[in-house]
Amino acid sequence: MGLGNDLSKFIPKDFGKKKSIAKQSSAVETPCTEPSSAETELTKTNVTEPRDEIKQSTVAELDLPTSQHVLLKRHTKAVSALAWDAPGDSIVSGEHGPSINLWDFPTMDHTFQPFGTIVPYEGQQTRAIKYNASGTHFICATSAPRAKLYTRMGRAAGECKSGDMYVMDMRRTNGHVSGLMCVDWDPQRDSRFVTGAGDSTLRFWDTERMVQEQVVVVKTKQRGKVAVTACAFSANGSMVVSAQCGGISVWPSKGPFVRPVQHVDNAHSSDTSLAFVPASEHLFVSRGDACVKLWDVRNLKTEVAMAEGLVGSESIAFSPDGTLLLVGLGSGSATPNSEAMVAVLDSSTLNEHRRISLGEPGDVLSIAWNSTVNQIAFGLSTGSIAITYDPALSTRGAMLGITKRSRTYVANTSTGPIITPHSLPLFREDRPVSTKRRHDKDRADPIRSNKPSMPVRGHGKGGVVGVNETQHIMKSIMKDTMRDEDPREALLRYAQVAESDPKFITPLYKETQGKPVFSEEVDEPEMKRRK
């Protein structure tokens, strides 16, 4: 039985919350997914503007400070490491080379130049840089076996010791014997940090004495030494996670270090990077072989979540509240991307929200997000550093130098020619040149004046025998007359004594040796004797 038009409009046709359904449908249609053919036809007609509005609303909901960016150009090689200090006023950057640049935003102008450059070890690549929690010091890990500690102004504050490479047991040496791979600070102690290297060890250090506190030898199924590619402290500093040879191990930060608390093999097939979720004691993220995995330290048998298809380096960074995860993307080959891209993931499910373009060429190799100024620094393979910000969400930081102009110094130059008439030959007076001053100068110079060398007093030096007054007196008293005597007469003086009283050779052969008979002939040629 049909109903009238007046009555049918009061009867509901759908049940449920329409607003929530609309939100779910908009969340599924993320801008990073590929549009279908039907969507393509719609976007060509009238849906272009509403689709752009959806993208803008998604960025606003995520609260990403990526609306604008500035470039810091000083490195000549790919930027491999970045670190903010706690207030967000300065940043430290390292490259695939020995140079480390120090940037201070309050003192910068619009040219954005670093205030200092340091070289920890000549010819060694920078692999990791980390600030401590208070921002007073930062530690630098290079391909050398020793980590170096610096103040925030770039002054060297300490250096770790290197171990003995001839010792087989790594527990018996007080330092790394191969190049460093990673470094991280204890969030509860500003004077303690951990380093990982290619000698299969994690070593804990004390910055007050710069000595090794504890050592962890990482063991895997693979024979020989393996490189510890990543290490990270938990938020409360009670645990340390390490990645080596595709596996992941969980260690208590205060020991014992006989065996890990949790371990999983073949978590990744390549080098891995690690990062704990902020304000979480159990969840951490690992990245390697083009995928990102979420783990729980209480159970490493299976991952909590996984996201695939993220090709690039091992650069990851969390948002200050820990709800978002930024993953740097790359080409995966020697040729970098024409446009640097970053994937934004949900940290709890690893679902991809969207991908952001930085508007600059290259691959993203390092990421650092500062919570105080709410700005993100991206290290690119082209040697540039892109710092993104949003004027409505960010404060200070890189925004301080945008409006500052560099100081220009104008020299006071007088207009018009400068006339000096007395310098002309017409007005120059010929004065007699005095040679006395030159003569006195030549006399003072012992080389030019051929001054004889003075006798050396006391001990001799420079190959010259020293003399004194006693020598002159003794020479006048005891005269040496040997040079005035004839040597032949001096020898013949003892001829009769030697014949009458022989003492050396003649008495020995007196009984057995006959009387010597000497030839009177002269050994001369016959022709010469005839003459």
Side-chain angles (χ1 to χ4, degrees):
M1 182 176 67
L3 298 176
N5 294 331
D6 297 335
L7 185 60
S8 61
K9 65 183 179 179
F10 294 101
I11 299 175
K13 297 180 180 180
D14 297 328
F15 297 92
K17 296 181 180 180
K18 296 182 179 180
K19 293 183 179 180
S20 62
I21 296 174
K23 289 183 179 180
Q24 293 176 4
S25 62
S26 63
V28 172
E29 192 180 3
T30 55
C32 63
T33 57
E34 294 293 335
S36 61
S37 59
E39 284 182 301
T40 306
E41 293 178 0
L42 289 174
T43 52
K44 291 180 180 178
T45 57
N46 297 324
V47 190
T48 304
E49 294 181 359
R51 191 172 180 83
D52 291 339
E53 292 176 1
I54 291 174
K55 290 182 180 181
Q56 297 296 331
S57 63
T58 305
V59 174
E61 291 176 0
L62 296 178
D63 292 336
L64 290 174
T66 57
S67 61
Q68 301 180 26
H69 74 278
V70 296
L71 282 181
L72 309 182
K73 296 182 179 181
R74 186 60 182 267
H75 289 286
T76 58
K77 298 181 180 179
V79 180
S80 58
L82 289 172
W84 286 89
D85 64 345
D89 292 334
S90 63
I91 191 171
V92 183
S93 60
E95 62 179 10
H96 283 174
S99 299
I100 294 177
N101 289 329
L102 309 175
W103 314 80
D104 186 47
F105 296 113
T107 59
M108 281 186 183
D109 52 16
H110 70 285
T111 58
F112 291 102
Q113 296 297 321
F115 74 91
T117 301
I118 58 177
V119 179
Y121 299 102
E122 194 68 35
Q124 303 295 334
Q125 174 185 342
T126 305
R127 290 178 174 171
I129 301 174
K130 290 295 181 66
Y131 263 105
N132 58 0
S134 59
T136 57
H137 294 80
F138 67 89
I139 196 74
C140 173
T142 64
S143 55
R146 294 178 293 177
K148 213 161 188 180
L149 182 67
Y150 290 91
T151 63
R152 64 183 308 272
M153 298 304 295
R155 298 186 181 92
E159 184 179 9
C160 298
K161 295 181 180 179
S162 59
D164 188 353
M165 66 178 67
Y166 298 103
V167 177
M168 298 301 295
D169 189 359
M170 290 293 101
R171 296 183 183 88
R172 303 296 181 183
T173 181
N174 296 325
H176 291 289
V177 298
S178 60
L180 301 178
M181 303 295 294
C182 55
V183 66
D184 196 19
W185 285 92
D186 190 340
Q188 303 299 325
R189 283 178 56 189
D190 282 349
S191 61
R192 187 170 184 249
F193 65 92
V194 62
T195 56
D199 55 0
S200 302
T201 60
L202 283 170
R203 299 181 187 269
F204 296 85
W205 303 85
D206 183 13
T207 60
E208 295 179 357
R209 297 177 298 164
M210 289 308 294
V211 294
Q212 174 185 296
E213 289 184 343
Q214 295 163 326
V215 58
V216 182
V217 178
V218 180
K219 297 181 180 180
T220 60
K221 295 180 180 180
Q222 183 179 358
R223 290 186 177 182
K225 297 179 181 179
V226 295
V228 180
T229 58
C231 60
F233 272 99
S234 59
N236 58 359
S238 61
M239 296 183 182
V240 176
V241 180
S242 65
Q244 61 282 333
C245 194
I248 299 176
S249 302
V250 180
W251 308 85
S253 63
K254 296 182 180 179
F257 302 110
V258 179
R259 59 178 58 89
V261 179
Q262 294 285 339
H263 178 76
V264 58
D265 289 322
N266 301 324
H268 295 276
S269 61
S270 61
D271 294 341
T272 310
S273 60
L274 300 172
F276 265 90
V277 179
S280 176
E281 301 177 2
H282 307 290
L283 298 178
F284 69 94
V285 169
S286 65
R287 186 187 179 186
D289 53 29
C291 69
V292 177
K293 295 182 180 180
L294 180 65
W295 302 88
D296 192 339
V297 295
R298 294 167 292 187
N299 185 10
L300 292 183
K301 293 182 180 180
T302 58
E303 65 272 6
V304 179
M306 182 175 64
E308 297 179 337
L310 302 173
V311 181
S313 64
E314 289 75 33
S315 57
I316 53 177
F318 281 98
S319 60
D321 56 359
T323 58
L324 299 177
L325 175 65
L326 300 184
V327 179
L329 303 179
S331 61
S333 61
T335 304
N337 287 335
S338 59
E339 195 169 4
M341 300 291 293
V342 179
V344 183
L345 308 182
D346 188 350
S347 62
S348 59
T349 61
L350 297 186
N351 292 331
E352 186 172 344
H353 288 293
R354 59 179 287 113
R355 296 194 177 187
I356 302 173
S357 173
L358 301 180
E360 299 293 335
D363 299 339
V364 179
L365 302 183
S366 54
I367 307 175
W369 193 336
N370 186 270
S371 59
T372 305
V373 298
N374 195 19
Q375 297 177 13
I376 312 173
F378 299 93
L380 306 180
S381 60
T382 57
S384 302
I385 303 173
I387 299 182
T388 61
Y389 64 94
D390 191 334
L393 303 175
S394 305
T395 58
R396 295 174 59 83
M399 301 170 59
L400 296 174
I402 298 175
T403 57
K404 287 185 181 179
R405 296 297 173 186
S406 57
R407 297 179 180 179
T408 56
Y409 299 93
V410 180
N412 289 328
T413 57
S414 59
T415 58
I418 299 175
I419 302 173
T420 55
H422 295 284
S423 62
L424 298 176
L426 179 63
F427 300 96
R428 190 176 301 163
E429 297 179 0
D430 295 333
R431 297 179 180 179
V433 179
S434 176
T435 59
K436 184 178 182 303
R437 184 175 298 177
R438 184 183 301 173
H439 178 72
D440 294 342
K441 188 175 181 180
D442 293 342
R443 291 290 296 172
D445 189 358
I447 298 176
R448 300 188 65 178
S449 62
N450 296 326
K451 182 180 179 181
S453 58
M454 301 296 292
V456 179
R457 299 289 181 181
H459 297 286
K461 56 182 178 179
V464 181
V465 180
V467 296
N468 49 30
E469 291 79 4
T470 305
Q471 286 180 307
H472 293 286
I473 296 173
M474 296 302 295
K475 283 183 178 179
S476 61
I477 296 175
M478 302 173 61
K479 292 185 178 181
D480 188 7
T481 59
M482 291 183 63
R483 301 184 64 179
D484 301 334
E485 295 181 4
D486 187 5
R488 185 172 178 275
E489 294 179 357
L491 290 174
L492 293 176
R493 189 183 304 168
Y494 300 96
Q496 295 180 357
V497 179
E499 186 177 356
S500 61
D501 187 15
K503 294 182 179 181
F504 299 104
I505 299 175
T506 307
L508 183 62
Y509 301 100
K510 186 176 183 180
E511 297 179 358
T512 59
Q513 186 73 20
K515 185 178 181 181
V517 178
F518 300 100
S519 177
E520 297 180 357
E521 296 182 0
V522 181
D523 189 10
E524 291 183 357
E526 184 177 358
M527 296 298 296
K528 203 169 187 180
R529 283 181 291 179
R530 289 179 182 178
K531 294 179 181 179

